[in-house]
Amino acid sequence: MTFIRSVVLGCGRYLPKKILTNHDLADIVDTSNEWIVQRTGIHRRHIAADNEVTSDLGTKAAECALANAGIQADTIDLIILATSTPDLTFPASAVHIQHNLGIRKGAAFDMQAVCSGFIYALSTADMYIQTGKAKRVLVIGAETFSRILDWEDRTTCVLFGDGAGAVILEGQESNGKMDDRGILTSHLRSDGIHREKLYVDGGPSKTGTTGHLRMEGQEVFKHAVGMITDVVDDAFAATGLKASDLDWFIPHQANERIINASAKKLGIPLEKVVKTVSKHGNTSAASIPLAICEAAEDGRLKQNDTVMLEAMGGGFTWGSVLLNW
Ligand code: ACO
């Protein structure tokens, strides 16, 4: 019996030119490099230029992924953009990216699950591919969180940055075994009881404004590790694989302490954990594809490596994707 698996053809990333260091931030709010590094592991973040919008970042990451995969844009039949910072309320920023890439067929839509957005988008793309509704899907995570930060709130503005990453998935025949390439399983969760612990205090329907990010940091921290490890365990249970079968653990890059604590609880050695949070802070839905691309570019991530992706974020939403690269 043959199955269809969603196999990664290529990936790409883009970070805006402007860099904001912890020392720069100490000139804006009452903070210090030491505090930020000790509590989060973050050293710097990238900030989009005034004339750069989320779809510009996403387009650059997508162009890079297309070049990396060696395919033409017009062979893509679905674009899913994970973002919580769209250019406009509508149309979807995915449609702007589709236009920028010169694609006039198929479909494009945005997906909003905050920091878990890329996991939600990958899982959705995988469903389209497995059911034969799409053959090649461009999955992008792109964010300009700098636009929704309260730059006077030191408890949040030091944590986030802008960026974009993308992967291209293609449906390929598989024998269904756990060592074949492609996405093996995905698991999504959400629980709105936590919706006020991490949210934006504005929106088109409620206030008619964009609003600013608000967060109960300690509450997020308290739930993060348990939620992350639960969905990773769900992926292990669904496949029969275990922590020692992983070549790489590529978590959402929010905070180095959350990443280290999750890896420890799961029994994954830190040498197998891809960490990029120090270089660009929390880029929400862009963080996982940014980390994937860095590991692919520097040669760590090799074909057929078994990789666990996971994220947790506002809502709360959380999820995991297990794949063979
Ligand atoms: N610089 C200096 N001091 C600060 C700063 C800052 N940037 N921010 C807060 N403080 C102060 C506080 O005011 C407080 O001072 P006080 O004791 O005089 O009241 C003190 O530092 C300690 O504050 P806490 O909130 O207890 O600090 P904590 O150790 O919890 O660290 C942090 C805060 C980093 C936000 C932590 O709670 C955290 O990482 N939470 C997870 C949040 C996160 O990662 N969110 C990302 C989105 S969700 C996701 O992606 C998973």
Side-chain angles (χ1 to χ4, degrees):
M1 193 169 162
T2 55
F3 298 82
I4 300 293
R5 281 256 172 88
S6 306
V7 173
V8 177
L9 291 187
C11 61
R13 62 180 174 143
Y14 173 75
L15 287 163
K17 282 201 177 63
K18 183 179 169 190
I19 291 174
L20 193 67
T21 65
N22 294 346
H23 298 287
D24 297 331
L25 273 168
D27 293 334
I28 303 172
V29 288
D30 182 13
T31 191
S32 66
N33 178 52
E34 294 70 31
W35 192 96
I36 301 171
V37 171
Q38 195 217 342
R39 307 284 173 127
T40 71
I42 299 166
H43 286 85
R44 58 182 193 266
R45 66 286 295 141
H46 292 248
I47 304 292
D50 289 346
N51 62 353
E52 254 180 340
V53 290
T54 294
S55 65
D56 295 326
L57 275 54
T59 301
K60 286 184 174 137
E63 285 168 345
C64 180
L66 288 165
N68 180 247
I71 61 165
Q72 296 299 315
D74 63 3
T75 65
I76 297 289
D77 41 26
L78 178 64
I79 300 174
I80 308 178
L81 169 67
T83 190
S84 302
T85 46
D87 302 3
L88 301 168
T89 302
F90 75 79
S93 300
V95 175
H96 289 272
I97 295 174
Q98 183 190 33
H99 174 72
N100 292 345
L101 296 174
I103 303 174
R104 297 199 64 199
K105 65 175 194 117
F109 60 84
D110 288 0
M111 183 153 258
Q112 213 269 54
V114 206
C115 298
S116 312
F118 191 74
I119 295 290
Y120 270 61
L122 266 189
S123 174
T124 305
D126 184 38
M127 299 304 144
Y128 272 89
I129 288 172
Q130 281 191 46
T131 54
K133 293 280 183 193
K135 173 81 175 152
R136 276 186 181 167
V137 185
L138 172 59
V139 185
I140 308 166
E143 302 279 17
T144 47
F145 259 52
S146 62
R147 306 270 155 79
I148 55 165
L149 294 176
D150 175 350
W151 288 100
E152 292 181 359
D153 176 11
R154 67 176 182 173
T155 69
T156 53
C157 75
V158 303
L159 301 175
F160 297 88
D162 302 336
V167 302
I168 294 164
L169 294 176
E170 180 180 76
Q172 293 184 5
E173 284 194 356
S174 157
N175 60 19
K177 292 200 178 133
M178 284 303 134
D179 55 2
D180 247 12
R181 291 187 69 201
I183 293 181
L184 304 176
T185 189
S186 65
H187 300 267
L188 303 183
R189 292 289 315 278
S190 66
D191 185 352
I193 201 158
H194 303 292
R195 68 199 179 284
E196 288 171 358
K197 293 180 178 130
L198 175 53
Y199 69 105
V200 169
D201 63 4
S205 183
K206 192 143 189 170
T207 61
T209 62
T210 307
H212 290 114
L213 184 148
R214 306 292 173 205
M215 181 178 69
E216 294 174 35
Q218 287 192 351
E219 279 296 310
V220 176
F221 203 103
K222 201 169 84 189
H223 288 89
V225 177
M227 289 177 165
I228 288 165
T229 51
D230 273 359
V231 276
V232 169
D233 284 338
D234 287 346
F236 287 142
T239 56
L241 297 182
K242 47 194 185 310
S244 56
D245 294 316
L246 297 182
D247 294 295
W248 297 107
F249 179 50
I250 309 189
H252 167 50
Q253 309 285 321
N255 180 312
E256 195 169 8
R257 287 193 296 157
I258 295 177
I259 295 174
N260 290 350
S262 306
K264 188 173 176 198
K265 191 167 172 205
L266 290 162
I268 302 170
L270 287 180
E271 311 85 78
K272 291 188 174 183
V273 182
V274 176
K275 289 193 253 181
T276 55
V277 65
S278 68
K279 299 175 191 169
H280 52 62
N282 183 348
T283 55
S284 191
S287 92
I288 291 175
L290 278 167
I292 287 175
C293 285
E294 182 169 312
E297 282 168 21
D298 67 22
R300 272 179 290 174
L301 192 51
K302 297 187 181 63
Q303 193 161 313
N304 268 104
D305 276 357
T306 302
V307 186
M308 179 71 77
L309 312 175
E310 61 76 8
M312 179 264 185
F316 293 147
T317 56
W318 64 109
S320 63
V321 170
L322 179 60
L323 76 155
N324 291 327
W325 186 253

